[in-house]
Amino acid sequence: MTATTDISTGHRIAVGPIDTFYLDAGAGDPVLLLHGSGPGVSGWANWQKTIPGLAQEFRVLAPDIVGYGATSRPDDVRYSLQTWTDHVVGFMDALGIERASLVGNSLGGRISLALAEQHPDRVSRMVLMGSPGVGMTITDGLKALRAYEPSPENMRALLLDYFAVDRSIITDELVRIRYEASVETYDAYRAMFFDPKHAGNDLSITEEQVRGIRTPSLLVHGREDKVVPPGVSWTMVNLLPDADLHVFARCGHWTQIERAAEFTELVAAFLRG
């Protein structure tokens, strides 16, 4: 299987009523890349710099989780941590994947924790990158993400102010791609966090839950993360029974983009075991 690095060469699969878009690259042990919850996010937007490197050793799958990207958004879906977790499990089932490693960015990390707690036999290893957890607070960065109103100017300001230390990575092309995607999914994005029908903001986890997760884990955090405080990962690494922590200096919420080569090398080494 050849590496897939362009959204135009992605795939679709039915996960119950959800027409799920995903990228599929490489061969070997399966690794699921789970994106975050920022406006305009998708598997491609989060992982375009990660997929080619990991696909040299693993089968890498990056789904657009329901409510995001090019995956369908059924009218009757209730957005919640459980819905997103069930979607990922259903995605694995649809592809016949019994067990996989997970690499989760932000919300994707919280989904990974839920999956490891509920289905420990299906998760071999887990990377949590800028993930919410015990000690999470509502930061100015998170408030800015939720308050976003679609416009190129607002998207540029959001990315510059809250996502990256290295402002040079916020290119016109990146702003355009994220803005256009944010327009497409805006109704779902607003609903999941502000409509009381949904529970997109309920990502809490207890110390007891974390201590019960035995999956070998690597926590990765940018020291200057303005969305999820790096102290959250320090708390989590002291609670998880089998976990290491790597902190990147001069790096914000996007370690997989700001420190792409180093991040991919670190993750690949961990996934090899």
Side-chain angles (χ1 to χ4, degrees):
M1 190 176 298
T2 57
T4 298
T5 56
D6 190 312
I7 194 168
S8 65
T9 56
H11 308 271
R12 290 189 172 276
I13 193 166
V15 179
I18 303 169
D19 180 28
T20 302
F21 179 87
Y22 68 101
L23 301 171
D24 189 346
D29 293 337
V31 177
L32 269 61
L33 306 182
L34 305 180
H35 61 71
S37 67
V41 77
S42 67
W44 171 242
N46 255 193
W47 303 114
Q48 58 185 283
K49 293 182 179 293
T50 308
I51 292 171
L54 290 184
Q56 294 178 27
E57 301 182 56
F58 307 98
R59 182 185 180 189
V60 182
L61 300 121
D64 286 354
I65 298 165
V66 63
Y68 295 94
T71 287
S72 69
R73 298 177 289 280
D75 291 337
D76 61 349
V77 69
R78 179 179 184 268
Y79 297 111
S80 68
L81 176 62
Q82 193 60 57
T83 296
W84 291 319
T85 303
D86 291 344
H87 184 214
V88 174
V89 173
F91 174 71
M92 293 174 67
D93 290 343
L95 288 173
I97 297 172
E98 290 296 323
R99 187 175 171 87
S101 291
L102 307 177
V103 181
N105 169 211
S106 199
L107 172 64
R110 183 62 187 90
I111 295 169
S112 299
L113 284 163
L115 209 156
E117 180 187 6
Q118 297 173 22
H119 306 278
D121 57 319
R122 305 201 64 173
V123 186
S124 50
R125 286 180 167 256
M126 178 169 61
V127 179
L128 308 175
M129 191 193 76
S131 173
V134 174
M136 179 65 189
T137 58
I138 303 300
T139 60
D140 288 344
L142 192 58
K143 290 177 184 176
L145 261 66
R146 301 295 180 252
Y148 168 80
E149 297 281 348
S151 77
E153 296 76 21
N154 287 345
M155 179 59 74
R156 185 183 302 278
L158 186 69
L159 300 183
L160 285 171
D161 292 345
Y162 294 105
F163 276 88
V165 173
D166 179 6
R167 297 166 71 91
S168 69
I169 70 172
I170 309 301
T171 62
D172 291 344
E173 178 70 2
L174 176 61
V175 171
R176 182 187 65 78
I177 290 171
R178 290 293 295 251
Y179 161 66
E180 290 177 355
S182 75
V183 172
E184 178 70 21
T185 59
Y186 183 66
D187 288 346
Y189 184 76
R190 289 290 296 179
M192 65 180 67
F193 298 114
F194 292 100
D195 186 335
K197 168 188 171 183
H198 304 284
N201 287 311
D202 186 5
L203 303 178
S204 60
I205 189 169
T206 67
E207 291 189 7
E208 182 180 7
Q209 285 176 286
V210 176
R211 289 194 178 100
I213 297 172
R214 304 288 172 176
T215 304
S217 302
L218 171 66
L219 281 66
V220 181
H221 225 111
R223 189 181 65 187
E224 285 75 31
D225 192 332
K226 295 180 180 179
V227 179
V228 177
V232 173
S233 282
W234 180 246
T235 298
M236 292 290 285
V237 81
N238 281 286
L239 293 172
L240 287 162
D242 186 359
D244 294 329
L245 170 63
H246 187 100
V247 176
F248 283 102
R250 300 175 300 282
C251 185
H253 195 55
W254 274 351
T255 56
Q256 85 281 25
I257 295 175
E258 280 198 275
R259 304 291 286 275
E262 295 159 284
F263 173 81
T264 301
E265 182 178 355
L266 177 71
V267 169
F270 172 74
L271 295 178
R272 288 185 207 113

